[in-house]
Amino acid sequence: MGATKTEHFTDKQNELAVLAKAIGHPARVAIIDYLLKVDACICGDIVNELPLAQPTVSQHLKELKNAGLITGEIEGNAICYCINQKTFSKLQQFFTRINTKIEKKNNCC
Amino acid sequence: MGATKTEHFTDKQNELAVLAKAIGHPARVAIIDYLLKVDACICGDIVNELPLAQPTVSQHLKELKNAGLITGEIEGNAICYCINQKTFSKLQQFFTRINTKIEKKNNCC
DNA sequence: ATTTAATATTGCAATATTACGATAAAGATT
DNA sequence: AATCTTTATCGTAATATTGCAATATTAAAT
C-alpha cells in the first residue's frame, strides 16, 4: 500500500499525471517562470533565484528534467537549462482538448 | 523540514502548483476523463469505473473538489459530480500563455 | 421502523516527497 | 598542482500521499 497503482491506468493518463505532478510544486513552477522570464537558457543562476538551498533546487531541476519539461546540458563548469518546447506544447494540447470536450457537454451544472 | 515552503512563492505560482498537483495522479486523471466521456455530470458510478477501493476513490474525488477541478452536489442519496469549467479554462490559459512565451524565445536549444 | 444503497470518515501501514547539511565530482582559474 | 566554482549525490529527518478495511452517515426503499 501507499504506492500509486500506475499499471491500472492508460499510458495517456499516466503521461498527463507525470507531467502535472512535476509542475505540482511552487518551486518548480518558479523555475519554469524564471526560464521563461530570462528569455534564454540559463547557465547557472537558478539557485540564487530561489528561496531554497542548493541541493533542494538541484533535486527540483532533476524532477523537471525527468518529466521532460526541461533539458540540461553541461556547458563548461555550469549546466545550461532550457525549457523543452515539445513537452509544453503537448501539455497545452491536453488542456485544449479537455476544454473542447467541456464546451461540447450538456451544461447540467 | 519536509513541508513545501508555500509562503516563499507567488500566489500565481502556488495556484498553478495546486491545480497541477491535483491532476498529478493517474486515478484523478481517469476520473476527469470519465466525467468528460459520459458527457454529463455523474451521480454515482464513479467507484465502479476505477480499479480502486471506494474509500480511495472518495479521497481522490475530495482532492479534485478541494482544488476546484470538480464540483459535487448532494442529489438524493447519490452525489452529482461535475467538471468545473472555469478551473479548466484557467489551466488552459496558463499553458497557452507559457507556450506563447516559449515561441517568442530565442531558440538557443 | 428496518433495510438497502451510496458516499464519507477514521485509523493505520506502506511509500513518496520535501528539505538541507555534508560531501563528492568535475571543469575553470590561478 | 592547488584552489575556486558549480552542480550532483548521499544521508537523514519531517511531512505528505496513497490505499484500504472498518465504520459512520444519510437518504431512499421496503
Side-chain angles (χ1 to χ4, degrees):
Chain A
M1 291 153 226
T4 296
K5 296 191 157 181
T6 307
E7 69 279 10
H8 293 313
F9 302 98
T10 69
D11 287 351
K12 250 194 173 172
Q13 285 166 348
N14 282 310
E15 193 184 4
L16 177 52
V18 164
L19 294 177
K21 191 176 184 181
I23 299 176
H25 189 291
R28 296 194 287 268
V29 175
I31 291 171
I32 292 165
D33 276 353
Y34 185 62
L35 283 171
L36 290 172
K37 196 184 88 183
V38 295
D39 192 34
C41 298
I42 293 298
C43 306
D45 244 11
I46 294 181
V47 171
N48 306 316
E49 292 296 319
L50 291 183
L52 295 168
Q54 179 267 324
T56 309
V57 175
S58 184
Q59 200 177 284
H60 283 306
L61 285 166
K62 193 177 171 186
E63 274 169 71
L64 287 170
K65 208 172 151 184
N66 284 343
L69 288 160
I70 63 173
T71 59
E73 272 172 57
I74 296 165
E75 191 93 0
N77 77 338
I79 291 202
C80 183
Y81 282 110
C82 305
I83 290 276
N84 189 346
Q85 178 163 23
K86 274 192 187 174
T87 310
F88 279 92
S89 162
K90 187 181 276 179
L91 265 170
Q92 193 188 351
Q93 275 173 41
F94 269 125
F95 286 103
T96 302
R97 207 166 298 158
I98 288 173
N99 275 282
T100 305
K101 280 188 195 167
I102 293 174
E103 277 154 32
K104 280 189 196 154
K105 267 170 74 85
N106 304 321
N107 267 18
C108 53
C109 35
Chain B
M1 292 152 228
T4 296
K5 295 191 157 180
T6 307
E7 69 279 10
H8 293 311
F9 302 98
T10 70
D11 286 352
K12 251 196 173 172
Q13 285 166 348
N14 281 310
E15 193 185 3
L16 177 52
V18 164
L19 293 177
K21 191 176 183 180
I23 300 177
H25 190 290
R28 296 194 287 267
V29 174
I31 289 170
I32 292 165
D33 277 352
Y34 186 62
L35 283 171
L36 291 172
K37 196 184 90 183
V38 295
D39 191 33
C41 297
I42 293 299
C43 306
D45 242 11
I46 294 182
V47 172
N48 306 316
E49 290 297 319
L50 292 182
L52 295 168
Q54 180 268 324
T56 308
V57 174
S58 184
Q59 199 177 285
H60 283 307
L61 286 166
K62 194 177 171 185
E63 274 169 70
L64 287 171
K65 207 172 153 184
N66 284 343
L69 288 161
I70 64 173
T71 58
E73 272 171 56
I74 295 164
E75 190 94 0
N77 75 339
I79 290 201
C80 183
Y81 282 110
C82 306
I83 289 277
N84 189 346
Q85 177 163 22
K86 275 192 186 173
T87 310
F88 279 92
S89 162
K90 187 181 277 180
L91 265 170
Q92 192 187 353
Q93 275 172 42
F94 269 125
F95 286 103
T96 301
R97 206 165 298 159
I98 288 173
N99 275 281
T100 306
K101 281 187 193 166
I102 292 174
E103 277 155 31
K104 281 189 195 154
K105 267 168 74 83
N106 304 319
N107 266 17
C108 52
C109 36

